[in-house]
Amino acid sequence: MTDILVKLFVKKGSDIMDPKVREKYGLLSGGVGIVCNIFLCIIKLLAGLLTSSISIMADAFNNLSDAGSSIVTFIGFKLASKPADNEHPYGHGRYEYISGLVIAAVILIMGFELLKSSVDKIIHPEDMNFSIASVVILVVSILVKLWLNLFNRKLGKRLDSSPMLATAADSLNDCIATSVVLIALIVNMVARVNIDGYAGVLVALFVIWAGFNTARDTIEPLLGQAPDPAFVKSIEQQVLSHKGIIGIHDMIVHDYGPGRIIVSLHAEIPCDMNVMEAHDIIDNAEEEIKKKFNCDISIHMDPIAVNDSKTNELKAMVNEIIHSLDEKLSMHDFRITDGPLRTNLIFDLVLPFEFKLSDGQVIEYVNDKLKEKSENYFAVIHIDKAVM
């Protein structure tokens, strides 16, 4: 069913990084969600009125909030497809993330309102009226929500879209919540025990939990989360596949929304290579990555000494020292200035965030170890943080 809808409403559906194609996917997801949730809200309101059940009414308003979330998804993908302009030179792709955050806020507000109503129902219980029609309505609701979960999860994984995956998770929570309401209705019929208010509380807690998870998943890319390690590794392998590039470092990935990724990195080349040849190699690497990964990239060329025996010997010694501190540490841009009284060993040392020692302690450790080798050695260290 999902593939049929995609073929009907999304042209060039395989080009998932094209903002216009993503917009059509978003409109499809939002449109389907609006229709299904408004339908479920209406039939559950009817069931709630027939049974005087606060949990069914709560579930109905939960579907109404889901319809609102679908509208937000609809608008978010529409805004995200806007092209870059003077005020937003990197496009409007983060609207997709913002829409997910708005969805989370709507879910949380609705969850707390449902919790308040359900607690009131526990304090002031009312008799429920069993209805076969209500049971049928709830079963239909569970099936529809299960399909919506599968529908949005498939689209969300295809597009790697946090709003769609959040909507899918919310639909699954709705299945569980509606199942709880159905159980409460059956228990009231069979055992004559009214647990309607307690079921409503459980539904509200499911809704609140879904809201927190959605907020977490959408706030992280807005704050600037670490890039996907697989993406970073693929970029690294592609750059290093070019003859003449012997290493890379300082890769930074800026995420301005799906299909709007900007990468910068430093590529190490032999210092004795012809500068025009090196420039061509870098240009070719940039063009290949732009086409293959659909991202913008800027590569800075770092010349390093590779054929100087003294430099290589001192570099190996420094590597041994930093690995004695932690095997995972690395360095780059190693070079030396060799004077009559002092040899400066200049390099960038990459430390993980929250490393066990401070930057100053690490620099002191390296210099102390170098002094054990020779009083003339002095490390000039620039500390980098591991961002990939």
Side-chain angles (χ1 to χ4, degrees):
M1 183 66 174
T2 302
D3 291 333
I4 293 173
L5 290 173
V6 169
K7 287 180 181 179
L8 287 174
F9 295 100
V10 183
K11 293 181 179 179
K12 299 180 180 178
S14 60
D15 192 7
I16 59 171
M17 300 311 291
D18 184 334
K20 289 298 181 183
V21 173
R22 294 185 71 87
E23 176 191 0
K24 291 175 183 177
Y25 271 108
L27 299 182
L28 173 61
S29 173
V32 169
I34 292 167
V35 171
C36 290
N37 282 299
I38 288 178
F39 166 72
L40 292 177
C41 178
I42 292 172
I43 63 173
K44 283 183 185 177
L45 282 175
L46 178 61
L49 292 172
L50 288 173
T51 59
S52 300
S53 168
I54 183 63
S55 58
I56 295 179
M57 297 289 283
D59 209 20
F61 283 108
N62 181 33
N63 288 134
L64 186 61
S65 74
D66 290 341
S69 298
S70 295
I71 293 173
V72 172
T73 300
F74 193 97
I75 295 172
F77 273 89
K78 188 73 176 176
L79 291 173
S81 69
K82 292 174 61 179
D85 53 34
N86 288 333
E87 288 75 26
H88 306 92
Y90 302 111
H92 299 76
R94 285 182 177 171
Y95 270 123
E96 191 173 323
Y97 302 144
I98 293 172
S99 70
L101 193 58
V102 174
I103 290 171
V106 171
I107 292 172
L108 285 170
I109 291 170
M110 187 59 65
F112 283 111
E113 286 298 318
L114 295 180
L115 182 62
K116 179 182 175 183
S117 301
S118 299
V119 170
D120 184 65
K121 193 72 170 182
I122 293 173
I123 298 171
H124 306 101
E126 296 178 9
D127 291 335
M128 294 174 62
N129 302 312
F130 180 78
S131 166
I132 293 295
S134 299
V135 174
V136 173
I137 287 171
L138 292 177
V139 171
V140 169
S141 173
I142 292 170
L143 294 175
V144 171
K145 276 295 184 176
L146 187 59
W147 178 80
L148 275 175
N149 166 260
L150 297 173
F151 172 73
N152 281 296
R153 185 170 61 178
K154 189 170 185 177
L155 294 187
K157 286 184 176 180
R158 184 178 298 179
L159 274 68
D160 192 23
S161 167
S162 55
M164 286 181 182
L165 291 173
T167 302
D170 187 42
S171 295
L172 186 59
N173 285 331
D174 288 344
C175 288
I176 299 171
T178 304
S179 298
V180 171
V181 173
L182 180 59
I183 291 169
L185 190 62
I186 294 173
V187 167
N188 183 75
M189 177 198 71
V190 175
R192 295 299 176 186
V193 177
N194 190 341
I195 60 171
D196 186 42
Y198 298 98
V201 168
L202 201 54
V203 171
L205 292 176
F206 272 119
V207 173
I208 292 169
W209 178 250
F212 276 119
N213 284 336
T214 303
R216 180 198 61 202
D217 292 341
T218 54
I219 286 174
E220 285 183 355
L222 287 172
L223 289 177
Q225 65 185 359
D228 179 5
F231 176 78
V232 170
K233 189 66 177 176
S234 296
I235 295 287
E236 179 182 2
Q237 290 174 344
Q238 187 68 33
V239 174
L240 293 177
S241 69
H242 288 264
K243 185 179 179 181
I245 298 178
I246 56 179
I248 71 167
H249 57 267
D250 287 352
M251 186 191 299
I252 300 175
V253 180
H254 301 277
D255 183 354
Y256 292 96
R260 301 164 182 84
I261 305 298
I262 298 176
V263 180
S264 63
L265 60 88
H266 291 215
E268 299 168 357
I269 62 164
C271 63
D272 54 359
M273 177 183 283
N274 179 276
V275 67
M276 296 304 294
E277 180 185 356
H279 188 271
D280 281 349
I281 291 171
I282 297 298
D283 277 354
N284 290 336
E286 287 178 338
E287 288 301 318
E288 283 188 13
I289 290 170
K290 286 178 183 178
K291 291 177 181 177
K292 185 172 182 178
F293 298 97
N294 194 33
C295 66
D296 287 328
I297 184 166
S298 175
I299 299 179
H300 174 78
M301 186 169 62
D302 268 355
I304 62 171
V306 293
N307 298 316
D308 182 75
S309 59
K310 183 173 183 178
T311 299
N312 290 338
E313 180 182 341
L314 291 175
K315 182 178 180 180
M317 181 182 68
V318 172
N319 260 320
E320 183 180 342
I321 291 172
I322 65 173
H323 288 157
S324 69
L325 185 60
D326 192 314
E327 280 292 332
K328 296 180 181 179
L329 298 186
S330 64
M331 68 171 178
H332 57 82
D333 283 344
F334 184 87
R335 56 200 183 278
I336 64 172
T337 57
D338 200 4
L341 300 177
R342 170 168 163 163
T343 299
N344 289 325
L345 286 67
I346 308 164
F347 57 93
D348 290 6
L349 180 58
V350 183
L351 295 181
F353 288 101
E354 300 178 358
F355 189 61
K356 59 186 177 182
L357 300 178
S358 69
D359 294 357
Q361 288 174 319
V362 171
I363 293 172
E364 183 180 0
Y365 174 87
V366 174
N367 269 304
D368 286 345
K369 291 295 182 181
L370 283 174
K371 293 299 179 186
E372 294 176 6
K373 305 289 185 180
S374 171
E375 286 293 331
N376 291 340
Y377 292 156
F378 184 80
V380 180
I381 304 173
H382 175 263
I383 299 295
D384 276 350
K385 294 301 179 182
V387 295
M388 67 173 185

